[in-house]
Amino acid sequence: MARQLDEQIAGRYPVGQRLRVLDVGMGQGTQALRLARLGHQVTGLEQDATMIAAAREALSGEPEGIRERMRIMEGDGRDTGVHFLPGSFDVVLCHGVLMYVQEPDPVLAGLARVLAPGGLLSLLVRNADALAMRPGLAADWAGALGAFDTTAYRNRLGLDVRADRRETLTATLAGIGAPLHTWYGVRVFTDTAMDRAEVPEDLEPLLAAEERAGRTDPYRSVAALLHLCGVRG
């Protein structure tokens, strides 16, 4: 997904331009820190105290110049209107967050509001149109049959959460003034791998296959996750 994001940024902004980035639900700060290392000014918004501590610890080990480019704030996607003025950011990330939000439309509208004109909105969501794939490939036929007509599922943490359909999000993004520009699949071939599976020594062929599938029909349509990129009008 980092490669997909970099591709979209490179296609919209001149090389070397320092961008204002907001990472909503930044987790332990993996993407936020990566973008700060690339020279961008990054704000990470996170509500989980454990994740905030992990992000701050990771940031503390970076050179001073990178530490100065990254700000960590406590809050969630519903707080953007409280913390930030309209048009404050060139890029807004919301990765792996919407599955925990029962009413995503107000959150998305808030994210679009803080985007500058022409800004990039990057979403990573669970693909509701592919919920039957994981149980089906595991020969859980009852689970597969039950997944076809729902957007609800239980994640690997044991939490009951929700998925999004690309068609629905496409309409939502158009309605909030950040219409869908492009989309990718994420975890097309590797979704059934165990969470703590050993990383193969030769990782590049795996990444190349996933990257190719993530931009190629029909493979991307059955990916576990969807990476949608909208552009603020």
Side-chain angles (χ1 to χ4, degrees), residues 67-228:
R67 295 199 306 270
E68 291 175 346
R69 288 198 295 271
M70 185 167 164
R71 175 175 56 154
I72 297 173
M73 299 178 59
E74 184 177 354
D76 65 23
R78 292 166 290 194
D79 298 335
T80 54
V82 175
H83 295 301
F84 312 115
L85 294 173
S88 296
F89 298 97
D90 304 301
V91 178
V92 173
L93 314 181
C94 185
H95 296 165
V97 173
L98 291 187
M99 55 272 292
Y100 299 102
V101 178
Q102 288 304 313
E103 297 293 337
D105 288 7
V107 174
L108 291 171
L111 301 183
R113 173 183 172 275
V114 299
L115 263 181
L120 177 68
L121 175 60
S122 175
L123 306 175
L124 184 70
V125 303
R126 187 73 163 91
N127 183 7
D129 293 320
L131 286 180
M133 289 296 293
R134 186 184 294 171
L137 292 173
D140 174 8
W141 309 123
L145 287 169
F148 280 108
D149 300 314
T150 184
T151 59
Y153 70 103
R154 179 162 293 181
N155 67 13
R156 287 173 172 173
L157 299 175
L159 301 176
D160 292 320
V161 289
R162 49 171 294 282
D164 287 285
R165 300 192 188 280
R166 179 169 55 87
E167 182 179 7
T168 302
L169 281 178
T170 298
T172 300
L173 290 174
I176 61 176
L180 184 67
H181 172 66
T182 193
W183 66 279
Y184 306 89
V186 176
R187 287 196 346 222
V188 178
F189 300 129
T190 57
D191 184 52
T192 56
M194 299 297 292
D195 287 341
R196 300 186 181 278
E198 186 174 335
V199 178
E201 290 186 12
D202 191 2
L203 186 60
E204 189 55 39
L206 183 155
L207 293 176
E210 281 284 352
E211 186 175 9
R212 178 72 180 271
R215 64 179 68 243
T216 303
D217 290 323
Y219 304 101
R220 62 178 180 166
S221 297
V222 295
L225 302 167
L226 298 178
H227 180 196
L228 298 96

